């Protein structure tokens, strides 16, 4: 079979996505590769397709048991023999799997890194032909990555023990230069073909809001997405508990996930979500790695995450099948404080020596700053992210909150002067909130206590709404007209550029939302407008196909999306295939899956026609 035939027959797809073909070709020519592709872009196909074409076994190294299980279940559903070897197996199961593997039953075997150099596994590895080692989540070898795992270093040790060096392919979603270089050096990739694919996920709507009442805003948002699956990310375990309880009380089908729950409960809750038994997963960032549920239609960040790497990885779990999805971030100033606390008290860093630790912390603070600016920018949000990852965006994506809002460019010099003047007159001793309160003329205990009501800028801009003052202050920070200290107090300081503004030598122009736009947004929030049902697909047919899928999933004890993705079902509704060959044109329907389930879906579609 050619690679195209494998793609169609085994996976049911007609075309390769960006980067896949190049990586596969290179592997088939025996050359190492490094694939840097965002979450949801289809990294697995890049090693699974060649694995089925190479003569020997492909070992896939993966950090998480859940990830292995999911991928192996998917492969088995597609009629491909694959197995995993990790600590979730009993010893007897492990022995049996190795026995089958020796007989050549599995072209693909998922292995936990710490297994590799055990005596038993090495003994096995020396008896069989290993064509390729595919390292998934390869950034785990790097100390600079988000997720350093010392056990990943065993991969290199293992490769060194093999009589013949297999092809080594590595895949990650982390694109920073340090990580990339670390991966190549540590894994010892030999003249690898490095492919970086676009980070853009145009199907995801991106939005940021700073609501007064986060919970109400989120509930409103969820109500506008009836019947859809979603993830709500919270910064802390405590908040996960609180929010999931509230949602539950408000009648939403909710489950939760964080590191404080027992293994069994975590697993159970995760399954409830993956198997479509619960609609909403409220979780900390501990949830999601390796989750391939393709019909998650929204991701709400109840708090701002600590950096854009995490943010983009987390929103990457939205609509992995390419259908439209919505990602909104609910920002508040407190999020910055929480994240700063996490950075200053990072337990993971305890193994590092003092200098490295300082370096890591400095990097983390810088990342947090960039994340914070994301929440303030009035420019295209997608563009901001793509630029962060070193790509060029189009300045206008048409599918983010900023691109869809009406802005006007406004001269804010007078406001800027007052804010900078106030910072200076108050001796550069206060945070943003106090400065804003001062120029706005708030009468709070704090203001009186610090005697800021005696500041010459006190009440200077009492007519300008505080959200505008905040927007301007943020703009000044982003453009270095002002700066903040890196400690937990975040005190606003003057910079070299401050003077030019206060001396009247520089005009400050910025984009601000038009007044009509703000009214519109407020109205939308009040109304809790229902989202349009997106009349493209025949919903009743879709509903029936979904029911069949659920039945099959239950019977086979696999998550529904592993039977067929939403996208595949929707495509069926559009194509309305009348026979086998037409059914095979549906994306995601391969020969094997057709044999297993095709008839049942076909029958339902034909019945609907009558
Ligand atoms: P990740 O890069 O995050 O590991 P996956 O490999 O899990 O992504 O792929 C994400 C989704 O995209 C899966 O549902 C997969 O089946 C689908 N996919 C991968 N390659 C293709 C393709 N060439 N055509 C259509 N869908 C694809
Ligand atoms: Zn945009």
């Amino acid at each position: 079979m050619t690679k195209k035939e494998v793609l169609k027959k085994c996976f049911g797809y007609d075309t390769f996505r960006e980067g896949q073909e190049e990586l596969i070709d290179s592997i088939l020519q025996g050359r190492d590769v490094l694939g840097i592709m965002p979450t949801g872009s289809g990294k697995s196909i890049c090693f699974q397709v060649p694995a089925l074409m190479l003569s020997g076994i492909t070992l896939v190294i993966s950090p998480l048991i859940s990830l292995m299980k999911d991928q192996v279940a998917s492969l088995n559903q597609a009629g491909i023999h694959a197995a995993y070897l990790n600590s979730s197996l009993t010893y007897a199961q492990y022995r049996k799997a190795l026995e089958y593997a020796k007989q050549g039953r599995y072209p693909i075997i998922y292995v936990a890194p710490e297994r590799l150099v055990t005596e038993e596994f090495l003994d096995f590895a020396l008896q069989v032909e290993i064509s390729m080692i595919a390292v998934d989540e390869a950034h785990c070898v790097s100390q600079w990555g988000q997720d350093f795992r010392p056990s990943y270093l065993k991969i290199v040790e293992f490769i060194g023990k093999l009589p013949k060096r297999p092809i080594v392919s590595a895949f990650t979603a982390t694109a920073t230069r340090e990580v990339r270089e670390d991966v190549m050096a540590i894994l010892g990739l030999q003249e690898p073909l490095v492919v970086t694919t676009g980070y853009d996920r145009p199907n995801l709507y991106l939005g940021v809001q700073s609501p007064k009442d986060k919970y109400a805003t989120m509930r409103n948002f969820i109500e506008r997405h009836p019947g859809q699956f979603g993830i709500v990310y919270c910064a802390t375990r405590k908040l996960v508990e609180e929010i999931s309880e509230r949602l539950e009380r408000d009648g939403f089908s909710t489950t939760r996930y964080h590191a404080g729950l027992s293994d069994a409960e975590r697993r159970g809750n995760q399954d409830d979500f993956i198997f479509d038994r619960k609609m909403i997963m409220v979780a900390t960032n501990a949830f999601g790695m390796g989750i391939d549920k393709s019909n998650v239609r929204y991701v709400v960040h109840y708090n701002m995450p600590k950096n854009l790497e995490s943010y983009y990885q987390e929103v990457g779990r939205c609509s992995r099948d390419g259908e439209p999805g919505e990602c909104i971030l609910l920002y508040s100033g407190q999020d910055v404080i929480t994240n700063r606390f996490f950075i200053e008290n990072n337990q993971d860093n305890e193994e590092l020596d003092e200098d490295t630790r300082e370096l890591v912390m400095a990097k983390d603070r810088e990342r947090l700053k960039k994340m914070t600016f994301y929440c303030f920018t009035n420019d295209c949000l997608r563009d901001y992210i793509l630029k962060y990852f070193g790509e060029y965006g189009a300045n206008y994506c048409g599918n983010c909150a900023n691109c869809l809002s009406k802005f006007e460019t406004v001269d804010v010099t007078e406001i800027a002067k007052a804010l900078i003047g106030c910072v200076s007159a108050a001796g550069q001793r206060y945070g943003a909130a106090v400065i804003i309160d001062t120029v706005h003329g708030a009468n709070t205990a704090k203001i009186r206590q610090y005697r800021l009501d005696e500041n010459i800028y006190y009440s200077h801009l009492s007519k300008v709404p505080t959200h505008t003052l905040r927007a301007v202050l943020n703009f000044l920070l982003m453009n270095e007209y002002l700066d903040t200290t890196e400690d937990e107090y975040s005190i606003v300081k003057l910079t070299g550029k401050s003077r030019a503004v206060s001396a009247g030598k520089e005009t400050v122009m910025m984009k601000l939302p038009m007044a009509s736009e703000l009214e519109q947004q407020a109205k939308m929030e009040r109304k809790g407008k229902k989202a349009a049902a997106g009349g493209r697909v025949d919903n009743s047919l879709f509903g029936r196909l979904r029911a069949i899928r659920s039945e099959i999933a239950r019977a086979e004890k696999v998550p529904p999306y592993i039977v067929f993705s939403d996208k595949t079902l929707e495509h069926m509704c559009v194509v309305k295939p009348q026979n086998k060959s037409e059914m095979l044109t549906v994306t995601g329907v391969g020969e094997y899956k057709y044999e297993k389930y095709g008839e049942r879906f076909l029958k339902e579609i034909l019945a609907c026609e009558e």
Side-chain angles (χ1 to χ4, degrees), residues 198-202 206 312 379-398 400 403:
Y199 264 64
D200 195 7
R201 297 275 311 276
L206 301 169
Y312 209 48
D379 293 328
C380 174
L381 293 170
R382 192 176 314 278
D383 211 45
Y384 185 96
I385 294 179
L386 294 179
K387 281 203 184 110
Y388 181 82
F389 289 116
E391 277 185 38
Y392 291 99
N395 285 322
Y396 176 88
C397 75
C400 78
C403 284

PDB file of all heavy atoms in Angstrom, residues 198-202 206 312 379-398 400 403:
ATOM      1  N   GLY A 198       1.961  25.494  10.559  1.00  0.00           N
ATOM      2  CA  GLY A 198       1.302  26.700  11.021  1.00  0.00           C
ATOM      3  C   GLY A 198       0.648  26.491  12.376  1.00  0.00           C
ATOM      4  O   GLY A 198       0.099  25.444  12.655  1.00  0.00           O
ATOM      5  N   TYR A 199       0.748  27.500  13.203  1.00  0.00           N
ATOM      6  CA  TYR A 199       0.131  27.422  14.508  1.00  0.00           C
ATOM      7  C   TYR A 199      -1.321  27.845  14.486  1.00  0.00           C
ATOM      8  O   TYR A 199      -2.040  27.745  15.461  1.00  0.00           O
ATOM      9  CB  TYR A 199       0.952  28.231  15.522  1.00  0.00           C
ATOM     10  CG  TYR A 199       1.855  27.288  16.228  1.00  0.00           C
ATOM     11  CD1 TYR A 199       2.838  26.623  15.519  1.00  0.00           C
ATOM     12  CD2 TYR A 199       1.643  26.959  17.546  1.00  0.00           C
ATOM     13  CE1 TYR A 199       3.611  25.681  16.116  1.00  0.00           C
ATOM     14  CE2 TYR A 199       2.406  26.015  18.160  1.00  0.00           C
ATOM     15  CZ  TYR A 199       3.388  25.376  17.450  1.00  0.00           C
ATOM     16  OH  TYR A 199       4.134  24.417  18.044  1.00  0.00           O
ATOM     17  N   ASP A 200      -1.718  28.348  13.344  1.00  0.00           N
ATOM     18  CA  ASP A 200      -3.068  28.901  13.294  1.00  0.00           C
ATOM     19  C   ASP A 200      -4.121  27.809  13.367  1.00  0.00           C
ATOM     20  O   ASP A 200      -3.984  26.757  12.747  1.00  0.00           O
ATOM     21  CB  ASP A 200      -3.234  29.685  11.990  1.00  0.00           C
ATOM     22  CG  ASP A 200      -4.461  30.566  12.042  1.00  0.00           C
ATOM     23  OD1 ASP A 200      -5.069  30.651  13.122  1.00  0.00           O
ATOM     24  OD2 ASP A 200      -4.792  31.169  11.012  1.00  0.00           O
ATOM     25  N   ARG A 201      -5.161  28.062  14.165  1.00  0.00           N
ATOM     26  CA  ARG A 201      -6.337  27.182  14.175  1.00  0.00           C
ATOM     27  C   ARG A 201      -7.522  28.070  13.841  1.00  0.00           C
ATOM     28  O   ARG A 201      -8.209  28.561  14.735  1.00  0.00           O
ATOM     29  CB  ARG A 201      -6.510  26.550  15.557  1.00  0.00           C
ATOM     30  CG  ARG A 201      -5.364  25.630  15.999  1.00  0.00           C
ATOM     31  CD  ARG A 201      -5.518  24.222  15.478  1.00  0.00           C
ATOM     32  NE  ARG A 201      -6.856  23.687  15.728  1.00  0.00           N
ATOM     33  CZ  ARG A 201      -7.240  23.110  16.865  1.00  0.00           C
ATOM     34  NH1 ARG A 201      -6.388  22.956  17.841  1.00  0.00           N
ATOM     35  NH2 ARG A 201      -8.473  22.680  17.017  1.00  0.00           N
ATOM     36  N   PRO A 202      -7.707  28.311  12.540  1.00  0.00           N
ATOM     37  CA  PRO A 202      -8.699  29.320  12.141  1.00  0.00           C
ATOM     38  C   PRO A 202     -10.130  28.984  12.569  1.00  0.00           C
ATOM     39  O   PRO A 202     -10.962  29.881  12.649  1.00  0.00           O
ATOM     40  CB  PRO A 202      -8.582  29.361  10.614  1.00  0.00           C
ATOM     41  CG  PRO A 202      -7.782  28.174  10.218  1.00  0.00           C
ATOM     42  CD  PRO A 202      -6.986  27.742  11.399  1.00  0.00           C
ATOM     43  N   LEU A 206     -11.567  33.293  19.153  1.00  0.00           N
ATOM     44  CA  LEU A 206     -10.841  33.662  20.367  1.00  0.00           C
ATOM     45  C   LEU A 206     -11.433  34.932  20.954  1.00  0.00           C
ATOM     46  O   LEU A 206     -11.709  35.882  20.212  1.00  0.00           O
ATOM     47  CB  LEU A 206      -9.362  33.915  20.053  1.00  0.00           C
ATOM     48  CG  LEU A 206      -8.585  32.751  19.435  1.00  0.00           C
ATOM     49  CD1 LEU A 206      -7.228  33.227  18.932  1.00  0.00           C
ATOM     50  CD2 LEU A 206      -8.408  31.630  20.443  1.00  0.00           C
ATOM     51  N   TYR A 312      -2.500  28.235  24.688  1.00  0.00           N
ATOM     52  CA  TYR A 312      -2.765  27.740  23.338  1.00  0.00           C
ATOM     53  C   TYR A 312      -2.896  26.220  23.320  1.00  0.00           C
ATOM     54  O   TYR A 312      -3.646  25.669  22.536  1.00  0.00           O
ATOM     55  CB  TYR A 312      -1.668  28.205  22.379  1.00  0.00           C
ATOM     56  CG  TYR A 312      -2.175  28.356  20.961  1.00  0.00           C
ATOM     57  CD1 TYR A 312      -3.361  29.057  20.703  1.00  0.00           C
ATOM     58  CD2 TYR A 312      -1.510  27.800  19.888  1.00  0.00           C
ATOM     59  CE1 TYR A 312      -3.846  29.191  19.415  1.00  0.00           C
ATOM     60  CE2 TYR A 312      -1.987  27.935  18.591  1.00  0.00           C
ATOM     61  CZ  TYR A 312      -3.151  28.626  18.369  1.00  0.00           C
ATOM     62  OH  TYR A 312      -3.644  28.754  17.086  1.00  0.00           O
ATOM     63  N   ASP A 379      -5.742  44.615  19.364  1.00  0.00           N
ATOM     64  CA  ASP A 379      -5.465  44.127  18.012  1.00  0.00           C
ATOM     65  C   ASP A 379      -5.931  42.675  17.895  1.00  0.00           C
ATOM     66  O   ASP A 379      -6.355  42.070  18.877  1.00  0.00           O
ATOM     67  CB  ASP A 379      -3.964  44.224  17.713  1.00  0.00           C
ATOM     68  CG  ASP A 379      -3.516  45.676  17.643  1.00  0.00           C
ATOM     69  OD1 ASP A 379      -4.336  46.513  17.215  1.00  0.00           O
ATOM     70  OD2 ASP A 379      -2.376  45.965  18.040  1.00  0.00           O
ATOM     71  N   CYS A 380      -5.778  42.119  16.708  1.00  0.00           N
ATOM     72  CA  CYS A 380      -6.241  40.749  16.450  1.00  0.00           C
ATOM     73  C   CYS A 380      -5.580  39.764  17.438  1.00  0.00           C
ATOM     74  O   CYS A 380      -4.359  39.694  17.546  1.00  0.00           O
ATOM     75  CB  CYS A 380      -5.896  40.355  15.023  1.00  0.00           C
ATOM     76  SG  CYS A 380      -6.256  38.636  14.648  1.00  0.00           S
ATOM     77  N   LEU A 381      -6.394  39.026  18.139  1.00  0.00           N
ATOM     78  CA  LEU A 381      -5.876  38.117  19.169  1.00  0.00           C
ATOM     79  C   LEU A 381      -5.079  36.965  18.549  1.00  0.00           C
ATOM     80  O   LEU A 381      -4.058  36.529  19.074  1.00  0.00           O
ATOM     81  CB  LEU A 381      -7.034  37.545  19.993  1.00  0.00           C
ATOM     82  CG  LEU A 381      -7.775  38.562  20.865  1.00  0.00           C
ATOM     83  CD1 LEU A 381      -9.038  37.948  21.452  1.00  0.00           C
ATOM     84  CD2 LEU A 381      -6.865  39.075  21.982  1.00  0.00           C
ATOM     85  N   ARG A 382      -5.563  36.496  17.421  1.00  0.00           N
ATOM     86  CA  ARG A 382      -4.871  35.382  16.763  1.00  0.00           C
ATOM     87  C   ARG A 382      -3.479  35.832  16.322  1.00  0.00           C
ATOM     88  O   ARG A 382      -2.495  35.128  16.479  1.00  0.00           O
ATOM     89  CB  ARG A 382      -5.692  34.936  15.544  1.00  0.00           C
ATOM     90  CG  ARG A 382      -5.269  33.628  14.929  1.00  0.00           C
ATOM     91  CD  ARG A 382      -6.206  33.254  13.792  1.00  0.00           C
ATOM     92  NE  ARG A 382      -7.600  33.429  14.165  1.00  0.00           N
ATOM     93  CZ  ARG A 382      -8.314  32.536  14.861  1.00  0.00           C
ATOM     94  NH1 ARG A 382      -7.764  31.406  15.221  1.00  0.00           N
ATOM     95  NH2 ARG A 382      -9.561  32.774  15.184  1.00  0.00           N
ATOM     96  N   ASP A 383      -3.462  37.038  15.786  1.00  0.00           N
ATOM     97  CA  ASP A 383      -2.217  37.600  15.336  1.00  0.00           C
ATOM     98  C   ASP A 383      -1.219  37.684  16.489  1.00  0.00           C
ATOM     99  O   ASP A 383      -0.037  37.381  16.332  1.00  0.00           O
ATOM    100  CB  ASP A 383      -2.515  39.014  14.834  1.00  0.00           C
ATOM    101  CG  ASP A 383      -1.584  39.402  13.739  1.00  0.00           C
ATOM    102  OD1 ASP A 383      -1.377  38.561  12.853  1.00  0.00           O
ATOM    103  OD2 ASP A 383      -1.062  40.529  13.782  1.00  0.00           O
ATOM    104  N   TYR A 384      -1.720  38.082  17.623  1.00  0.00           N
ATOM    105  CA  TYR A 384      -0.869  38.220  18.802  1.00  0.00           C
ATOM    106  C   TYR A 384      -0.237  36.860  19.152  1.00  0.00           C
ATOM    107  O   TYR A 384       0.955  36.765  19.411  1.00  0.00           O
ATOM    108  CB  TYR A 384      -1.705  38.736  19.970  1.00  0.00           C
ATOM    109  CG  TYR A 384      -0.890  39.028  21.208  1.00  0.00           C
ATOM    110  CD1 TYR A 384      -0.435  40.316  21.478  1.00  0.00           C
ATOM    111  CD2 TYR A 384      -0.569  38.017  22.109  1.00  0.00           C
ATOM    112  CE1 TYR A 384       0.316  40.583  22.609  1.00  0.00           C
ATOM    113  CE2 TYR A 384       0.184  38.266  23.245  1.00  0.00           C
ATOM    114  CZ  TYR A 384       0.622  39.555  23.494  1.00  0.00           C
ATOM    115  OH  TYR A 384       1.371  39.798  24.613  1.00  0.00           O
ATOM    116  N   ILE A 385      -1.054  35.816  19.143  1.00  0.00           N
ATOM    117  CA  ILE A 385      -0.554  34.484  19.477  1.00  0.00           C
ATOM    118  C   ILE A 385       0.449  33.996  18.431  1.00  0.00           C
ATOM    119  O   ILE A 385       1.524  33.507  18.756  1.00  0.00           O
ATOM    120  CB  ILE A 385      -1.721  33.472  19.596  1.00  0.00           C
ATOM    121  CG1 ILE A 385      -2.600  33.847  20.791  1.00  0.00           C
ATOM    122  CG2 ILE A 385      -1.198  32.052  19.722  1.00  0.00           C
ATOM    123  CD1 ILE A 385      -3.789  32.948  21.000  1.00  0.00           C
ATOM    124  N   LEU A 386       0.078  34.162  17.172  1.00  0.00           N
ATOM    125  CA  LEU A 386       0.966  33.673  16.106  1.00  0.00           C
ATOM    126  C   LEU A 386       2.310  34.385  16.173  1.00  0.00           C
ATOM    127  O   LEU A 386       3.362  33.769  16.012  1.00  0.00           O
ATOM    128  CB  LEU A 386       0.310  33.860  14.739  1.00  0.00           C
ATOM    129  CG  LEU A 386      -0.948  33.015  14.518  1.00  0.00           C
ATOM    130  CD1 LEU A 386      -1.553  33.279  13.147  1.00  0.00           C
ATOM    131  CD2 LEU A 386      -0.635  31.524  14.672  1.00  0.00           C
ATOM    132  N   LYS A 387       2.269  35.676  16.428  1.00  0.00           N
ATOM    133  CA  LYS A 387       3.535  36.423  16.533  1.00  0.00           C
ATOM    134  C   LYS A 387       4.354  35.894  17.704  1.00  0.00           C
ATOM    135  O   LYS A 387       5.571  35.761  17.610  1.00  0.00           O
ATOM    136  CB  LYS A 387       3.246  37.907  16.747  1.00  0.00           C
ATOM    137  CG  LYS A 387       2.882  38.616  15.461  1.00  0.00           C
ATOM    138  CD  LYS A 387       3.153  40.113  15.579  1.00  0.00           C
ATOM    139  CE  LYS A 387       2.709  40.841  14.334  1.00  0.00           C
ATOM    140  NZ  LYS A 387       1.536  41.685  14.571  1.00  0.00           N
ATOM    141  N   TYR A 388       3.684  35.599  18.784  1.00  0.00           N
ATOM    142  CA  TYR A 388       4.379  35.074  19.953  1.00  0.00           C
ATOM    143  C   TYR A 388       5.131  33.787  19.604  1.00  0.00           C
ATOM    144  O   TYR A 388       6.226  33.542  20.061  1.00  0.00           O
ATOM    145  CB  TYR A 388       3.359  34.810  21.067  1.00  0.00           C
ATOM    146  CG  TYR A 388       3.956  34.281  22.343  1.00  0.00           C
ATOM    147  CD1 TYR A 388       4.533  35.149  23.270  1.00  0.00           C
ATOM    148  CD2 TYR A 388       3.937  32.921  22.646  1.00  0.00           C
ATOM    149  CE1 TYR A 388       5.069  34.673  24.448  1.00  0.00           C
ATOM    150  CE2 TYR A 388       4.472  32.436  23.823  1.00  0.00           C
ATOM    151  CZ  TYR A 388       5.031  33.314  24.735  1.00  0.00           C
ATOM    152  OH  TYR A 388       5.561  32.836  25.900  1.00  0.00           O
ATOM    153  N   PHE A 389       4.511  32.972  18.776  1.00  0.00           N
ATOM    154  CA  PHE A 389       5.153  31.721  18.373  1.00  0.00           C
ATOM    155  C   PHE A 389       6.044  31.897  17.141  1.00  0.00           C
ATOM    156  O   PHE A 389       6.426  30.921  16.502  1.00  0.00           O
ATOM    157  CB  PHE A 389       4.109  30.636  18.120  1.00  0.00           C
ATOM    158  CG  PHE A 389       3.466  30.141  19.387  1.00  0.00           C
ATOM    159  CD1 PHE A 389       2.114  30.322  19.616  1.00  0.00           C
ATOM    160  CD2 PHE A 389       4.230  29.518  20.361  1.00  0.00           C
ATOM    161  CE1 PHE A 389       1.521  29.876  20.796  1.00  0.00           C
ATOM    162  CE2 PHE A 389       3.651  29.073  21.547  1.00  0.00           C
ATOM    163  CZ  PHE A 389       2.297  29.253  21.754  1.00  0.00           C
ATOM    164  N   GLY A 390       6.306  33.144  16.814  1.00  0.00           N
ATOM    165  CA  GLY A 390       7.259  33.419  15.745  1.00  0.00           C
ATOM    166  C   GLY A 390       6.704  33.316  14.340  1.00  0.00           C
ATOM    167  O   GLY A 390       7.432  33.136  13.376  1.00  0.00           O
ATOM    168  N   GLU A 391       5.387  33.436  14.219  1.00  0.00           N
ATOM    169  CA  GLU A 391       4.806  33.395  12.883  1.00  0.00           C
ATOM    170  C   GLU A 391       4.221  34.747  12.537  1.00  0.00           C
ATOM    171  O   GLU A 391       3.967  35.556  13.417  1.00  0.00           O
ATOM    172  CB  GLU A 391       3.651  32.393  12.835  1.00  0.00           C
ATOM    173  CG  GLU A 391       4.093  30.990  12.640  1.00  0.00           C
ATOM    174  CD  GLU A 391       2.887  30.069  12.475  1.00  0.00           C
ATOM    175  OE1 GLU A 391       1.909  30.477  11.835  1.00  0.00           O
ATOM    176  OE2 GLU A 391       2.951  28.954  13.006  1.00  0.00           O
ATOM    177  N   TYR A 392       3.961  34.948  11.257  1.00  0.00           N
ATOM    178  CA  TYR A 392       3.307  36.182  10.874  1.00  0.00           C
ATOM    179  C   TYR A 392       1.840  35.951  10.635  1.00  0.00           C
ATOM    180  O   TYR A 392       1.465  35.087   9.874  1.00  0.00           O
ATOM    181  CB  TYR A 392       3.964  36.775   9.636  1.00  0.00           C
ATOM    182  CG  TYR A 392       5.336  37.273   9.951  1.00  0.00           C
ATOM    183  CD1 TYR A 392       6.459  36.502   9.655  1.00  0.00           C
ATOM    184  CD2 TYR A 392       5.504  38.485  10.614  1.00  0.00           C
ATOM    185  CE1 TYR A 392       7.723  36.928   9.996  1.00  0.00           C
ATOM    186  CE2 TYR A 392       6.766  38.925  10.965  1.00  0.00           C
ATOM    187  CZ  TYR A 392       7.875  38.138  10.651  1.00  0.00           C
ATOM    188  OH  TYR A 392       9.114  38.555  11.006  1.00  0.00           O
ATOM    189  N   GLY A 393       1.021  36.681  11.312  1.00  0.00           N
ATOM    190  CA  GLY A 393      -0.407  36.577  11.090  1.00  0.00           C
ATOM    191  C   GLY A 393      -0.836  37.634  10.079  1.00  0.00           C
ATOM    192  O   GLY A 393      -0.009  38.357   9.529  1.00  0.00           O
ATOM    193  N   ALA A 394      -2.121  37.723   9.868  1.00  0.00           N
ATOM    194  CA  ALA A 394      -2.615  38.606   8.825  1.00  0.00           C
ATOM    195  C   ALA A 394      -3.109  39.942   9.375  1.00  0.00           C
ATOM    196  O   ALA A 394      -3.671  40.729   8.630  1.00  0.00           O
ATOM    197  CB  ALA A 394      -3.746  37.918   8.071  1.00  0.00           C
ATOM    198  N   ASN A 395      -2.894  40.220  10.648  1.00  0.00           N
ATOM    199  CA  ASN A 395      -3.400  41.432  11.299  1.00  0.00           C
ATOM    200  C   ASN A 395      -4.909  41.452  11.483  1.00  0.00           C
ATOM    201  O   ASN A 395      -5.440  42.212  12.271  1.00  0.00           O
ATOM    202  CB  ASN A 395      -3.029  42.715  10.551  1.00  0.00           C
ATOM    203  CG  ASN A 395      -1.576  43.042  10.757  1.00  0.00           C
ATOM    204  OD1 ASN A 395      -1.052  42.838  11.853  1.00  0.00           O
ATOM    205  ND2 ASN A 395      -0.922  43.513   9.722  1.00  0.00           N
ATOM    206  N   TYR A 396      -5.582  40.666  10.687  1.00  0.00           N
ATOM    207  CA  TYR A 396      -7.033  40.615  10.795  1.00  0.00           C
ATOM    208  C   TYR A 396      -7.453  39.183  10.520  1.00  0.00           C
ATOM    209  O   TYR A 396      -7.193  38.671   9.434  1.00  0.00           O
ATOM    210  CB  TYR A 396      -7.678  41.562   9.791  1.00  0.00           C
ATOM    211  CG  TYR A 396      -9.184  41.469   9.805  1.00  0.00           C
ATOM    212  CD1 TYR A 396      -9.940  42.246  10.678  1.00  0.00           C
ATOM    213  CD2 TYR A 396      -9.856  40.571   8.959  1.00  0.00           C
ATOM    214  CE1 TYR A 396     -11.322  42.141  10.722  1.00  0.00           C
ATOM    215  CE2 TYR A 396     -11.239  40.453   9.005  1.00  0.00           C
ATOM    216  CZ  TYR A 396     -11.959  41.239   9.885  1.00  0.00           C
ATOM    217  OH  TYR A 396     -13.319  41.121   9.929  1.00  0.00           O
ATOM    218  N   CYS A 397      -8.087  38.511  11.477  1.00  0.00           N
ATOM    219  CA  CYS A 397      -8.485  37.125  11.228  1.00  0.00           C
ATOM    220  C   CYS A 397      -9.981  37.007  11.006  1.00  0.00           C
ATOM    221  O   CYS A 397     -10.458  36.039  10.437  1.00  0.00           O
ATOM    222  CB  CYS A 397      -8.047  36.234  12.394  1.00  0.00           C
ATOM    223  SG  CYS A 397      -9.055  36.422  13.885  1.00  0.00           S
ATOM    224  N   GLY A 398     -10.725  37.987  11.480  1.00  0.00           N
ATOM    225  CA  GLY A 398     -12.170  37.943  11.287  1.00  0.00           C
ATOM    226  C   GLY A 398     -12.874  36.959  12.202  1.00  0.00           C
ATOM    227  O   GLY A 398     -14.082  36.775  12.107  1.00  0.00           O
ATOM    228  N   CYS A 400     -12.038  36.693  15.835  1.00  0.00           N
ATOM    229  CA  CYS A 400     -11.673  36.902  17.236  1.00  0.00           C
ATOM    230  C   CYS A 400     -12.450  38.109  17.741  1.00  0.00           C
ATOM    231  O   CYS A 400     -12.976  38.898  16.950  1.00  0.00           O
ATOM    232  CB  CYS A 400     -10.169  37.091  17.414  1.00  0.00           C
ATOM    233  SG  CYS A 400      -9.553  38.708  16.984  1.00  0.00           S
ATOM    234  N   CYS A 403     -11.265  41.424  16.218  1.00  0.00           N
ATOM    235  CA  CYS A 403     -11.572  41.621  14.802  1.00  0.00           C
ATOM    236  C   CYS A 403     -13.068  41.847  14.596  1.00  0.00           C
ATOM    237  O   CYS A 403     -13.472  42.502  13.646  1.00  0.00           O
ATOM    238  CB  CYS A 403     -11.124  40.428  13.978  1.00  0.00           C
ATOM    239  SG  CYS A 403      -9.346  40.373  13.720  1.00  0.00           S
TER     240      CYS A 403
END
